[in-house]
Amino acid sequence: MLHLLLLSLLFPAVLCQGFKTVIGMYGETVEIPCNIGDTKVEDIAITQWKYDKEPTVRGELLSKNKGDEVVITATDKFKGRVSLGANLSLLLSDAKLTDQHTFICMVVVKTIDEHSVKLVIQKLPEAPLITEKAEALEIGKRTKLGTCVSKNASPAANIIWLKNNKPLLSDGNRILINNTVVKQPETELLNALSTLHYSAEKEDTGAQFSCKAEHPKANNLVSPPETFTITYSTENIVLQVLPTESPAEGNDITLKCVADGNPPPSSFNFDLKGDVVKVENANTYTIINASRNNSGEYKCSLIDDPSMEATKNITVSFLDVKLNLNNTVIRRAGDSLNLTLDIDSSAKPTVSWTKGGVKMNKEPKNTKLAYSDAGLYELVVTMGTLRREASFHLIVQGAPVIRNLLKLHDKDGQRKVLICEAEGSPKPAVSWNINGTLIDEKSFDNGTITHKIAVVPSANLSVTCTVSNSFGIDTRVINVSSHPSEDDDQTKLVVGVVVGLLVAAVVIGVAYWMYMKKSKQGSWKTGEKENGSSEEEKKLEEKVEENSQKADV
């Protein structure tokens, strides 16, 4: 105190400067400046730091005389935490809220100057969290959604509620927000609490609720989003039919009752054309192996509110196909098939026929069967998802008939190839009256068989092909020459003779016509002459008749 008395005697004038505010961050080292203006540090004789401990009491912190070391005089909460900076500022480590005082820097040059600085300590709040969350929100009923807490701040955080990132404002009706601030006794830090009471709407299903903590030092502190179950009573009910396409006979049909309540109803009544079935803990009922008799009106309703019901008309599609022919059908060649097809269906079906796997353009209604009509006939009738199939195998039977008997020259020119083509069913047996080498026998197809042999005739032959089955026999003869080219020359000779005879017949006919004309003109001649002419005329007619017979041959 002695040096202060001396200072007051030596420097009676004390200049007090205005207050300045410094903001320091909690837990950090705060620098409190001493405003010495243009005064140089080396010109300052004495520097002293104090603080307003009480309204009328100042606590000492440190002092320094020119040329001497700093003397720490703090004895209370600032002990060990203060030091002097290079520019005579006060350094305060580990700042706390209790450090918020007015600090005075006194310097002595020629006068005593005092500079007061007010210290304010701030602290960022912790990230906000939503606590005390509601299990569900009921539509039309204001419910406590939760409490948003932002702890250990200075000053206290300002909490804003968000729905889908948009602020919620209290309206005193659907939305009510209550904010409180609680001080921590030991640290004097502040906890901000905000409680939201909310009346939900159906549109809030899936909405994200969060809260934001605003602070002078930070504005981007947002809690993790929360979603809440929105509960409401059933307003609408729908009866669904699965599968969704037209139900078909023989398939299972599932009735599903869908209600828009949340949580959805768990039990329903199913009215099955007058028979009511109660289903608990499920919303479906399945009709196994449905038939056309299951068509009709169906209903479902809530067990606790039967007036809440839904109705659905169900039509079960059906397809019946009856074919009067099946398995194996045997007919005689030339007979009729007499096929009838009866279809009973709930809608127009599509009918398709195939024969031997090849699609037919029309239904097989043969009135006069041929061997080529034989084969496997398959029927497919479809309508929506329904499909019916039927088939029959047609066998056309009859006595065999040789259609062609041919002879050809082999490549070597020595052998004659004989081909016998025949129709008949069952498969005809083929035989020849001479020995030959079997070249080929084609497969028996649609009542047709082809048999081919090769022979080397040593003389001119008449070869017979015979075909037979259980219904009859047929034969045909062909002449075969022993000379390779004789068959061709003989054919040419026969043709020449026939042509010559035809020409001769024409010439004789013309001559006869001329003669008869002259005879009529000379009818006045004697009877002897007339008798002689008659004899010549008779001879000429006989000659014409003979030539005509040769021409026919």
Side-chain angles (χ1 to χ4, degrees):
M1 297 295 295
L2 180 61
H3 67 280
L4 293 176
L5 178 60
L6 293 173
L7 286 174
S8 62
L9 293 174
L10 294 174
F11 306 99
V14 178
L15 301 178
C16 296
Q17 305 295 331
F19 285 93
K20 181 180 180 181
T21 301
V22 171
I23 297 176
M25 296 308 295
Y26 186 88
E28 299 179 3
T29 296
V30 181
E31 182 176 3
I32 304 172
C34 180
N35 186 11
I36 61 175
D38 295 332
T39 304
K40 296 180 179 180
V41 174
E42 55 270 20
D43 294 335
I44 296 175
I46 300 173
T47 302
Q48 197 172 51
W49 276 100
K50 299 180 182 181
Y51 74 98
D52 287 339
K53 187 173 184 180
E54 295 178 12
T56 58
V57 179
R58 288 182 174 180
E60 295 197 9
L61 297 173
L62 59 80
S63 63
K64 180 181 184 307
N65 294 332
K66 183 178 181 179
D68 295 339
E69 295 294 328
V70 176
V71 178
I72 304 299
T73 56
T75 58
D76 50 13
K77 59 184 178 181
F78 294 110
K79 184 177 181 180
R81 296 172 53 215
V82 294
S83 61
L84 190 66
N87 57 351
L88 304 182
S89 60
L90 177 67
L91 301 178
L92 175 61
S93 64
D94 192 19
K96 297 177 175 56
L97 291 183
T98 56
D99 296 336
Q100 295 183 112
H101 296 278
T102 298
F103 292 82
I104 301 98
C105 171
M106 187 187 70
V107 294
V108 177
V109 185
K110 295 180 180 180
T111 59
I112 299 175
D113 294 333
E114 285 188 354
H115 307 280
S116 297
V117 180
K118 185 176 181 180
L119 178 62
V120 176
I121 301 299
Q122 293 185 350
K123 182 181 181 301
L124 290 174
E126 296 177 5
L129 291 174
I130 297 177
T131 62
E132 303 174 4
K133 293 176 287 187
E135 293 184 0
L137 302 178
E138 184 177 352
I139 288 181
K141 181 180 180 180
R142 195 168 65 192
T143 305
K144 179 181 176 181
L145 183 144
T147 299
C148 181
V149 179
S150 180
K151 296 181 178 181
N152 300 322
S154 180
N158 179 38
I159 294 178
I160 298 176
W161 282 94
L162 306 173
K163 186 183 80 169
N164 295 330
N165 293 323
K166 294 182 179 180
L168 290 174
L169 301 177
S170 180
D171 60 8
N173 183 20
R174 288 186 56 245
I175 303 173
L176 184 61
I177 300 174
N178 295 321
N179 297 322
T180 56
V181 176
V182 177
K183 179 184 289 188
Q184 300 289 342
E186 296 180 357
T187 62
E188 295 189 2
L189 293 174
L190 304 175
N191 295 343
L193 296 89
S194 180
T195 301
L196 171 63
H197 291 80
Y198 189 79
S199 177
E201 298 176 336
K202 188 176 293 187
E203 292 74 15
D204 292 324
T205 301
Q208 293 186 335
F209 291 84
S210 58
C211 58
K212 178 180 179 181
E214 290 187 338
H215 190 270
K217 294 297 183 179
N219 289 313
N220 58 348
L221 299 175
V222 182
S223 70
E226 303 284 351
T227 57
F228 296 85
T229 300
I230 309 299
T231 63
Y232 47 89
S233 302
T234 297
E235 297 177 354
N236 297 288
I237 187 170
V238 176
L239 178 58
Q240 298 178 349
V241 180
L242 304 174
T244 55
E245 62 267 15
S246 178
E249 196 169 50
N251 296 335
D252 294 345
I253 300 176
T254 298
L255 306 177
K256 184 176 182 180
C257 206
V258 180
D260 63 354
N262 194 30
S266 59
S267 301
F268 296 87
N269 286 327
F270 284 89
D271 187 334
L272 311 175
K273 299 174 61 176
D275 295 331
V276 179
V277 177
K278 182 178 180 181
V279 176
E280 296 183 341
N281 301 320
N283 65 341
T284 61
Y285 180 86
T286 300
I287 302 172
I288 306 298
N289 192 21
S291 71
R292 66 198 71 183
N293 296 327
N294 293 120
S295 297
E297 184 181 74
Y298 291 80
K299 299 178 182 179
C300 74
S301 61
L302 301 181
I303 291 179
D304 55 356
D305 185 5
S307 64
M308 186 71 67
E309 70 174 11
T311 303
K312 193 82 169 181
N313 281 312
I314 298 176
T315 299
V316 180
S317 59
F318 60 91
L319 176 62
D320 293 336
V321 175
K322 185 178 181 181
L323 185 65
N324 69 320
L325 303 176
N326 53 40
N327 299 328
T328 301
V329 178
I330 301 175
R331 294 287 188 273
R332 291 293 297 271
D335 289 351
S336 297
L337 182 59
N338 296 325
L339 179 145
T340 58
L341 174 63
D342 294 326
I343 298 177
D344 184 17
S345 60
S346 56
K348 185 178 180 180
T350 299
V351 181
S352 176
W353 282 95
T354 59
K355 178 179 180 288
V358 179
K359 186 175 181 180
M360 302 177 64
N361 294 326
K362 60 182 180 179
E363 180 178 300
K365 285 189 176 293
N366 307 78
T367 56
K368 190 174 182 180
L369 292 173
Y371 293 113
S372 58
D373 293 323
L376 176 63
Y377 291 82
E378 294 177 295
L379 166 69
V380 176
V381 182
T382 58
M383 189 192 71
T385 60
L386 293 177
R387 178 186 177 95
R388 301 291 183 263
E389 298 179 357
S391 65
F392 65 91
H393 185 249
L394 175 61
I395 298 175
V396 180
Q397 295 182 339
V401 177
I402 297 175
R403 298 301 183 189
N404 284 300
L405 182 58
L406 306 172
K407 60 183 175 182
L408 301 173
H409 293 294
D410 200 2
K411 294 180 180 180
D412 59 8
Q414 299 299 320
R415 299 189 305 170
K416 299 293 178 65
V417 178
L418 306 181
I419 304 172
C420 187
E421 295 181 353
E423 288 183 336
S425 180
K427 178 182 178 182
V430 181
S431 63
W432 302 82
N433 66 335
I434 64 170
N435 292 327
T437 302
L438 179 63
I439 296 177
D440 182 30
E441 180 180 332
K442 291 186 178 179
S443 60
F444 184 62
D445 185 23
N446 288 335
T448 300
I449 186 171
T450 301
H451 203 268
K452 186 186 296 185
I453 66 171
V455 297
V456 182
S458 59
N460 294 340
L461 301 172
S462 292
V463 179
T464 301
C465 175
T466 302
V467 293
S468 62
N469 63 11
S470 58
F471 289 94
I473 187 170
D474 190 21
T475 62
R476 185 175 288 194
V477 179
I478 188 171
N479 293 324
V480 179
S481 174
S482 60
H483 299 289
S485 60
E486 187 172 325
D487 292 326
D488 294 339
D489 295 341
Q490 183 179 3
T491 301
K492 294 176 182 177
L493 177 59
V494 171
V495 172
V497 171
V498 172
V499 173
L501 290 174
L502 289 173
V503 172
V506 172
V507 172
I508 294 172
V510 172
Y512 175 72
W513 177 77
M514 294 295 292
Y515 173 80
M516 290 298 295
K517 184 176 182 182
K518 290 179 179 181
S519 296
K520 290 180 181 180
Q521 293 176 353
S523 60
W524 52 270
K525 294 184 178 180
T526 62
E528 181 180 350
K529 288 183 180 180
E530 290 177 355
N531 293 335
S533 299
S534 298
E535 291 177 359
E536 291 178 359
E537 180 180 349
K538 184 177 181 181
K539 291 180 180 180
L540 182 59
E541 290 177 352
E542 291 176 354
K543 187 66 174 179
V544 171
E545 179 67 22
E546 181 182 354
N547 289 337
S548 298
Q549 291 177 356
K550 290 180 180 180
D552 292 338
V553 174

